[in-house]
């Protein structure tokens, strides 16, 4: 395994149901994503984008295959770690279509929640959170509730939250779907910058053609398998 | 670590307070129910304590004037008085009567006693206005709850009685206000028939001699004598039922109030169960409202223990706030009840313990929902 490999998937299979009701979603998917890379995951609705994302995120158990996160194999026909939640907590950051900030916590608390659950001291968690807020130029909103922020500001807080636990991987599920063109581009640029500066691998599920030029690679689910597109290909979506 | 429960409550403080107040009112009713029971116990003992008799002598094979009809001869008090070990002995009557009042008659228990006797059922500490009875006829001491004032005239039977004294907090074991009459007046009221009734009885050959009857003889025992032995002697030689103060208390509290207390106890248990179910439903609803957030927390990798801690803390806080509101509510309304309501601190602490347990039980529904929350549900709209 390459030292720079962040995600490696080998012969991954995911089926739902049994016998006559068997639905094959992913078949023998194999790919590798390097640290610092931003990869767009595209496919028609219902093709299994979210399922693939959730398998990589150790949320949904695959049917068979192998998943490596960094140097650690986390799945080989079964979860190899007893607590997959710990893997998520320590290695993965999630960004969603909507910001999904905890509504009863302020911006700072939303960002420090996960590090504190990871036993990071309150002082260190706050320091890191303030750094992230400054990085995203919303440090003046640290004590605001999410209801007091605009959509773009909330999405930036959500990205800051995803970075708070210093993840190796960020899994984003249509992070720009709810944003207008300018903000969508601004978010993907931000993700690109983070990937490079913090050496994080980012997979972003998207239908948004506007953000594709900012991705390093485009991964498409086609006929239940994975194919990679060149950025210059036409009609990717 | 961030206190998620406190932050969530802070975020929806108004809703939380209104909910806690609602549950609190229910708990306030629980406290009132317990208070009514305590009040019944206190009321049951007021007259017994005021009379302070060691022995109650009543009609043979009866439980005495508070439980069933009892008639003994008035002169029995003299026979009892000369017995060895007896200090004082007096005759008394107890009867339910209605005092006529302009708006609505008042049901009371009339206590008849010998105003020259040595055992006085009127506790001087409870006499708040006027004086005790001084003449054998046509004077009455009433409880303030009857609504009468000093010098008011009350028609009882054939005669007009003047209110000469007013007592406070004097009620019978049934919660009816007490009034005090001279023994002669009380006997007349209880045993003297109307002229027509007397004529009717005479025509039938029935003698009207019951005005020398009373309902009970009460006696005190000299120091150094055994009350039980004296009671046993009276049973043996006078063919009467005799109860010590402790036995009389038991008759009042156990035999007479037992059913009421069971009823109140059952109501209290039902109310506590209903409160628990309501708390559980509130917590379930509160958890349902947070399911998306909970799924996201689980997806991000927050341990279940942290989320469960939030639910349990919120439930406990709801229980504690409801308990505080319940206490305030019960203290605001307890004196509005027609019967005595006694709110005791130990009862409140017991209820607090029960509510804490109930809250923990109620939180299980929320906890179950948290455990079953699918982190994958966080993604996909």
């Amino acid at each position: 395994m390459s030292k720079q490999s962040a995600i490696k998937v080998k012969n991954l299979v995911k089926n739902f149901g049994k016998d006559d009701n068997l639905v094959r979603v992913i078949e023998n998917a194999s790919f590798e994503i390097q640290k610092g890379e931003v990869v767009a995951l595209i496919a028609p609705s219902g093709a299994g984008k979210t399922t693939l994302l959730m398998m990589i995120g150790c949320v949904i158990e695959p049917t068979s295959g192998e998943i490596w996160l960094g140097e650690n194999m986390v799945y080989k026909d079964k979860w190899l770690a007893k607590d997959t939640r710990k893997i998520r907590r320590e290695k993965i950051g999630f960004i969603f279509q909507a910001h999904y900030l905890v509504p009863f916590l302020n911006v700072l608390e939303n960002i420090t929640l996960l590090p504190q659950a990871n036993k990071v001291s309150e002082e260190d968690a706050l320091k890191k959170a303030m750094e992230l807020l400054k990085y995203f130029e919303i440090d003046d909103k640290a004590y605001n509730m999410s209801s007091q922020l605009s959509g773009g500001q909330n999405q930036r807080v959500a990205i800051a939250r995803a970075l708070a636990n210093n993840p190796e991987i960020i899994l984003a599920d249509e992070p720009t779907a709810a944003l207008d063109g300018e903000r969508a581009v601004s978010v993907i640029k931000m993700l690109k910058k983070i990937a490079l500066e913090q050496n994080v691998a980012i997979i972003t599920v998207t239908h948004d053609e506007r953000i594709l030029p900012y991705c390093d690679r485009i991964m498409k689910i086609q006929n239940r398998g994975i194919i990679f597109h060149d950025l210059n290909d036409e009609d990717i979506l | 670590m961030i206190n998620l429960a406190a932050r969530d409550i802070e975020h929806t403080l108004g809703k939380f307070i209104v909910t806690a107040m609602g549950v609190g009112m229910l708990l306030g009713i629980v406290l009132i129910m317990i208070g009514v029971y305590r009040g019944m116990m206190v009321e049951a003992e007021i007259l017994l304590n005021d009379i302070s008799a060691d022995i109650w002598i009543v009609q043979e094979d009866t439980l005495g004037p508070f439980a069933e009809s009892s008639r003994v001869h008035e002169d029995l008090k003299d026979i009892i008085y000369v017995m060895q070990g007896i200090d004082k002995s007096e005759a008394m009557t107890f009867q339910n009567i209605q005092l006529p009042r302009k708006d609505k008659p008042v049901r009371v228990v009339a206590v008849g006693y010998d105003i020259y006797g040595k055992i006085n059922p009127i506790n001087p500490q409870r006499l708040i206005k006027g004086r005790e009875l001084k003449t054998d006829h046509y004077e009455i001491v009433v409880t303030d709850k009857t609504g009468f004032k000093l010098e008011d005239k009350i028609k009882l039977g054939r005669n007009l009685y003047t209110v000469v004294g007013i007592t406070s907090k004097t009620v019978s074991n049934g919660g009816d206000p007490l009034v005090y009459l001279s023994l002669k007046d009380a006997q007349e009221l209880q045993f003297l028939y109307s002229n027509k009734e007397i004529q009717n009885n005479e025509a039938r050959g029935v003698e009207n001699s019951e005005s020398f009857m009373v309902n009970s003889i009460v006696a005190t025992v000299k120091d150094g004598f055994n009350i039980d032995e004296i009671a046993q002697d009276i049973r043996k030689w006078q063919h009467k039922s005799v109860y010590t103060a402790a036995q009389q208390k038991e008759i009042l509290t156990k035999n007479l109030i037992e059913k009421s207390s069971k009823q109140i106890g059952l109501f209290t248990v039902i109310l506590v169960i209903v409160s628990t179910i309501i708390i559980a439903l509130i917590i379930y609803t509160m958890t349902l409202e947070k399911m998306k957030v909970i799924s996201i927390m689980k997806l991000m990798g927050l341990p279940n223990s942290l989320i469960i801690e939030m639910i349990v803390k919120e439930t406990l806080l709801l229980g504690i706030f409801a308990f505080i509101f319940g206490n305030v509510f019960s203290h605001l309304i307890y004196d509005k009840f027609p019967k005595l309501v006694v709110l005791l601190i130990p009862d409140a602490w017991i209820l607090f313990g029960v509510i804490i347990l109930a809250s923990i039980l109620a939180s299980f529904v929320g906890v179950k929902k948290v455990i079953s929350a699918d982190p994958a549900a966080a993604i996909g709209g």
Side-chain angles (χ1 to χ4, degrees):
Chain A
M1 168 162 289
S2 160
K3 281 183 183 175
Q4 290 300 307
S5 176
I7 302 164
K8 190 178 172 187
V9 168
K10 221 170 152 185
N11 301 324
L12 198 67
V13 174
K14 179 63 187 174
N15 300 329
F16 287 107
K18 275 184 190 174
D19 306 325
D20 292 347
N21 297 320
L22 185 73
V23 178
R24 296 173 198 280
V25 181
I26 304 288
E27 272 184 39
N28 294 317
S30 297
F31 58 89
E32 189 169 354
I33 293 168
Q34 308 302 319
K35 286 184 178 172
E37 243 191 328
V38 178
V39 175
L41 175 60
I42 60 169
S45 293
K49 300 184 294 288
T50 303
T51 303
L52 180 61
L53 206 67
M54 290 295 98
M55 287 192 289
I56 297 166
C58 305
V59 178
I60 295 177
E61 185 168 2
T63 306
S64 64
E66 288 176 17
I67 299 174
W68 295 71
L69 297 181
E71 293 176 357
N72 303 318
M73 184 191 268
V74 295
Y75 183 85
K76 186 175 184 185
D77 300 328
K78 62 172 187 177
W79 293 119
L80 300 178
K82 198 177 175 186
D83 185 6
T84 53
R85 208 178 288 194
K86 190 166 182 280
I87 299 171
R88 295 204 292 275
R89 199 160 63 225
E90 290 175 353
K91 289 182 178 287
I92 306 169
F94 289 91
I95 303 169
F96 312 101
Q97 187 172 338
H99 57 81
Y100 292 144
L101 296 175
V102 180
F104 49 84
L105 300 181
N106 65 30
V107 166
L108 209 55
E109 288 166 338
N110 261 292
I111 299 171
T112 56
L113 183 61
L114 202 55
Q116 286 192 51
N118 272 341
K119 310 285 181 208
V120 174
S121 72
E122 194 178 348
E123 196 184 336
D124 290 346
L126 282 171
K127 196 177 161 194
K128 169 85 179 173
M130 283 311 292
E131 279 170 16
L132 286 166
L133 288 175
K134 272 185 190 149
Y135 183 81
F136 291 112
E137 297 170 350
I138 42 170
D139 49 321
D140 57 327
K141 307 289 180 191
Y143 296 98
N144 285 51
M145 304 301 283
S146 74
S147 58
Q148 296 168 312
L149 305 183
S150 69
Q153 286 170 331
N154 272 322
Q155 198 61 317
R156 275 187 274 168
V157 176
I159 297 169
R161 177 179 66 179
L163 290 167
N165 56 337
N166 299 314
E168 293 168 16
I169 299 153
I170 288 180
L171 301 175
D173 186 39
E174 303 197 48
T176 58
L179 303 175
D180 59 35
E182 199 181 322
R183 282 187 183 143
V185 170
S186 143
V187 165
I188 193 68
K189 277 183 176 174
M190 210 176 278
L191 290 177
K192 176 77 181 163
K193 193 176 166 198
I194 290 162
L196 288 171
E197 288 180 5
Q198 305 199 17
N199 207 24
V200 177
I202 298 176
I203 300 181
T204 174
V205 168
T206 187
H207 283 115
D208 191 346
E209 215 169 325
R210 298 167 300 182
I211 70 168
L212 296 181
Y214 300 93
C215 299
D216 297 308
R217 282 195 290 165
I218 297 164
M219 184 164 71
K220 187 172 184 179
I221 301 174
Q222 195 166 299
N223 299 324
R224 297 188 286 275
I226 298 290
I227 56 165
F228 280 88
H229 274 279
D230 193 292
L231 285 173
N232 299 319
D233 284 355
E234 286 182 8
D235 297 328
I236 294 170
L237 291 172
Chain B
M1 188 64 209
I2 298 162
N3 188 336
L4 294 174
R7 291 289 181 279
D8 188 26
I9 289 170
E10 215 175 289
H11 186 63
T12 52
L13 191 62
K15 189 177 160 189
F16 182 83
I17 287 174
V18 171
T19 309
M21 281 172 81
V23 180
M25 287 170 92
L26 207 57
L27 296 182
I29 299 298
V30 173
L31 282 169
I32 292 288
M33 297 290 277
I34 299 168
V36 167
Y37 168 72
R38 296 289 179 206
M40 284 170 71
M41 298 295 279
V42 170
E43 283 179 341
E45 293 177 10
I46 285 174
L47 189 55
L48 283 186
N49 292 339
D50 285 355
I51 292 172
S52 286
D54 295 323
I55 291 174
W56 290 70
I57 301 118
V58 300
Q59 186 177 326
E60 192 172 23
D61 298 330
T62 73
L63 289 170
F66 304 119
E68 51 190 326
S69 178
S70 159
R71 288 180 182 189
V72 291
H73 290 97
E74 184 188 342
D75 58 10
L76 178 64
K77 71 173 183 182
D78 301 320
I79 299 167
I80 300 297
Y81 183 63
V82 296
M83 287 181 72
Q84 197 179 16
I86 295 293
D87 183 29
K88 299 173 215 166
S89 167
E90 296 296 342
M92 283 193 187
T93 63
F94 306 91
Q95 67 186 113
N96 280 103
I97 58 170
Q98 298 236 105
L99 300 185
R101 216 172 53 179
K102 272 182 190 171
D103 49 349
K104 182 170 94 171
V106 192
R107 184 183 161 82
V108 297
V109 169
V111 180
Y113 71 100
D114 182 356
I115 62 166
Y116 307 110
K118 291 173 183 170
I119 297 179
N120 185 348
I122 300 178
N123 182 342
Q125 289 175 335
R126 299 192 201 274
L127 189 67
I128 53 169
K129 277 182 191 167
R131 57 170 174 78
E132 292 179 9
L133 303 175
K134 278 188 179 169
T135 61
D136 257 344
H137 286 297
Y138 315 132
E139 285 188 346
I140 186 168
V141 171
V142 300
T143 307
D144 53 357
K145 274 197 174 177
T146 57
F148 290 102
K149 299 184 198 75
L150 286 179
E151 302 302 323
D152 276 355
K153 304 286 182 195
I154 303 169
K155 188 165 190 306
L156 291 175
R158 302 170 186 178
N159 304 303
L160 270 181
Y161 289 76
T162 305
V163 177
V164 296
I166 293 178
T167 57
S168 174
K169 293 177 182 170
T170 43
V171 288
S172 71
N173 60 304
D176 294 323
L178 292 177
V179 298
Y180 304 88
L181 298 166
S182 72
L183 186 64
K184 283 181 181 166
D185 283 346
Q187 282 173 313
E188 200 175 303
L189 273 175
Q190 190 174 162
F191 302 113
L192 188 63
Y193 300 130
S194 67
N195 288 339
K196 294 280 181 203
E197 188 72 25
I198 293 167
Q199 284 170 7
N200 198 323
N201 282 344
E202 281 174 355
R204 289 161 188 260
V206 177
E207 284 192 25
N208 295 286
S209 60
E210 289 190 331
S211 57
F212 298 104
M213 304 298 279
V214 293
N215 302 119
S216 173
I217 304 293
V218 293
T220 57
V221 174
K222 287 176 185 166
D223 287 344
F225 286 85
N226 187 308
I227 294 171
D228 292 323
E229 282 176 10
I230 293 173
Q232 187 53 38
D233 279 350
I234 299 170
R235 278 187 205 107
K236 189 174 176 183
W237 300 111
Q238 302 301 328
H239 304 290
K240 297 284 180 270
S241 287
V242 184
Y243 301 103
T244 62
Q247 287 168 330
Q248 188 67 274
K249 198 173 278 188
E250 196 179 326
I251 289 169
L252 278 171
T253 55
K254 197 169 174 230
N255 295 14
L256 299 183
I257 299 176
E258 199 176 25
K259 275 190 182 171
S260 303
S261 61
K262 274 184 184 168
Q263 186 141 327
I264 288 172
L266 195 58
F267 266 123
T268 307
V269 169
I270 290 169
L271 277 175
V272 169
I273 293 170
V274 168
S275 306
T276 310
I277 292 169
I278 288 175
I279 292 174
L281 283 174
I282 290 166
I283 291 302
Y284 184 72
T285 312
M286 283 167 73
T287 311
L288 277 189
E289 285 170 1
K290 287 194 283 281
M291 278 313 280
K292 187 79 183 174
V293 172
I294 288 169
S295 296
I296 289 162
M297 285 174 168
K298 289 179 83 167
L299 179 71
M300 291 192 310
L302 280 182
N304 266 349
S305 59
L306 210 67
I307 307 167
I308 288 169
E309 187 187 317
M310 171 178 78
I311 301 292
V312 174
K313 273 187 183 171
E314 277 183 15
T315 320
L316 284 173
L317 281 170
L318 181 67
I320 291 167
F321 274 85
F323 173 77
I324 293 167
F325 282 124
N327 262 283
V328 173
F329 178 65
S330 61
H331 278 87
L332 284 175
I333 62 163
Y334 81 102
D335 58 351
K336 308 281 188 296
F337 285 80
K339 286 192 79 173
L340 180 67
V341 178
V342 179
L343 300 174
L344 298 178
I345 290 172
D347 289 338
W349 281 118
I350 291 169
L351 183 67
F352 180 74
V354 171
I355 288 306
I356 293 296
L357 277 177
S359 300
I360 291 168
L361 276 177
S363 70
F364 286 169
V365 289
V367 168
K368 195 166 171 262
K369 199 74 194 156
V370 167
I371 291 167
S372 66
D374 180 10
I379 288 191

